[in-house]
Amino acid sequence: MGNDMKRIFPGYSRWCRQKYILDRMSLRDLNTAYFTYPAIQTYILFLVVSVISAFYFMGPVTPVIISVTCGVVVYPIVWYLLHRFVLHGRWLYRSRHTAALWKRVHYDHHQNPQDLAVLFGGLHTTLPTIFIVTFSLGWLISGLAGACAAFATGLATTCFYEYCHCIQHLSYRSRLRFLREIKRLHLAHHYYNEQGNFGITNFICDRIMSTYYAETGSVPRSATVRNLGYTGEECDRYPWVAALTGDGAPIAAKTEHAGS
């Protein structure tokens, strides 16, 4: 994705050269980095266009409101399913054709959780997913106006998720209890046991699917929390991700749990 971004957005290389490391940044630093990141700017651009389009094609208001509501509801469900079964699954790295994709969209983030360049979702994966899920849902409910409104909702939710995700890895303690709590739960996913707490701002699906844990002591510590199981025999048998890292040595799970 990095090379694709460099081709599409000339400013991406310049942004990456800043080397934004979240545990060394202030909230002001994050805000600057967030709003200058090409993918976030793209989301905002499409969001504005989608909102204008929704009003342009607007018919009855109620179906459009239903489309927006459904967009809000479906987003955490889709995120949970993708995060748990795709990003934490093992089939992507077992194919040479999808190994680089898996490495960029999730493995690198678990290897280097404070590196902002690999925290943001890859635009080539996020934008099509948001569009397919929300636009089609809105279209079924309320035609083109509903589709545009639902797509705008998905984009706005993505921006919110991405910002909260940044806060969760930032060396910053928010005064908001909500942000402190989701940060605590997410850091447990990164530093204690990656097989739970798959949500970012919403952990309802985790509760329903029995993958939620409020305290680290309630589940065993995972040995694969940093390498997602890509180590040992898996690394030897499916070497494509290791080859892309340059040194071929995935980071082992650390024993400490990052605080909030």
Side-chain angles (χ1 to χ4, degrees):
M1 186 266 183
N3 291 332
D4 292 338
M5 286 288 287
K6 290 174 184 177
R7 287 194 296 269
I8 300 171
F9 299 104
Y12 177 72
S13 296
R14 183 169 60 255
W15 188 93
C16 285
R17 283 198 295 270
Q18 297 295 319
K19 199 60 181 175
Y20 295 107
I21 305 300
L22 286 162
D23 59 359
R24 304 174 193 169
M25 294 167 60
S26 67
L27 183 61
R28 178 176 294 181
D29 294 332
L30 170 61
N31 290 335
T32 299
Y34 179 85
F35 286 106
T36 57
Y37 187 65
I40 297 299
Q41 294 176 342
T42 301
Y43 295 144
I44 293 173
L45 174 62
F46 276 93
L47 172 60
V48 171
V49 172
S50 297
V51 170
I52 294 173
S53 299
F55 278 104
Y56 181 80
F57 295 110
M58 182 76 71
V61 175
T62 300
V64 175
I65 294 176
I66 294 174
S67 298
V68 171
T69 303
C70 289
V72 172
V73 171
V74 77
Y75 194 100
I77 298 173
V78 173
W79 166 253
Y80 176 88
L81 295 174
L82 289 175
H83 192 188
R84 180 180 179 184
F85 296 109
V86 178
L87 302 185
H88 279 266
R90 300 190 174 186
W91 58 275
L92 283 177
Y93 73 68
R94 290 180 175 181
S95 168
R96 67 171 69 247
H97 303 295
T98 54
L101 173 67
W102 180 75
K103 175 183 181 296
R104 165 58 187 90
V105 298
H106 212 56
Y107 177 76
D108 284 350
H109 176 51
H110 271 262
Q111 291 268 287
N112 301 288
Q114 280 78 40
D115 187 348
L116 192 56
V118 296
L119 180 149
F120 288 117
L123 190 62
H124 67 314
T125 59
T126 57
L127 198 55
T129 303
I130 298 165
F131 179 81
I132 291 170
V133 173
T134 60
F135 196 88
S136 58
L137 179 64
W139 182 280
L140 290 173
I141 296 171
S142 185
L144 191 52
C148 293
F151 185 43
T153 302
L155 292 166
T157 307
T158 298
C159 289
F160 176 68
Y161 265 50
E162 292 281 39
Y163 188 77
C164 289
H165 194 188
C166 292
I167 290 287
Q168 289 166 342
H169 291 281
L170 186 68
S171 181
Y172 166 76
R173 181 176 175 81
S174 174
R175 288 177 292 182
L176 298 177
R177 182 178 179 182
F178 166 74
L179 288 177
R180 294 198 305 271
E181 181 63 10
I182 63 173
K183 179 176 182 176
R184 185 181 69 83
L185 295 172
H186 184 67
L187 290 182
H189 171 82
H190 269 277
Y191 294 98
Y192 195 84
N193 189 311
E194 81 283 10
Q195 295 303 318
N197 292 354
F198 292 101
I200 296 294
T201 66
N202 187 314
F203 294 88
I204 293 176
C205 289
D206 281 288
R207 293 178 183 272
I208 294 173
M209 301 295 288
S210 300
T211 54
Y212 174 82
Y213 62 95
E215 302 297 335
T216 54
S218 63
V219 294
R221 183 184 293 276
S222 171
T224 58
V225 71
R226 291 290 297 280
N227 54 49
L228 307 185
Y230 184 71
T231 186
E233 292 183 2
E234 289 290 284
C235 187
D236 294 336
R237 187 175 180 184
Y238 309 102
W240 303 292
V241 171
L244 291 169
T245 63
D247 56 12
I251 297 174
K254 289 189 175 182
T255 56
E256 75 275 11
H257 172 57
S260 58

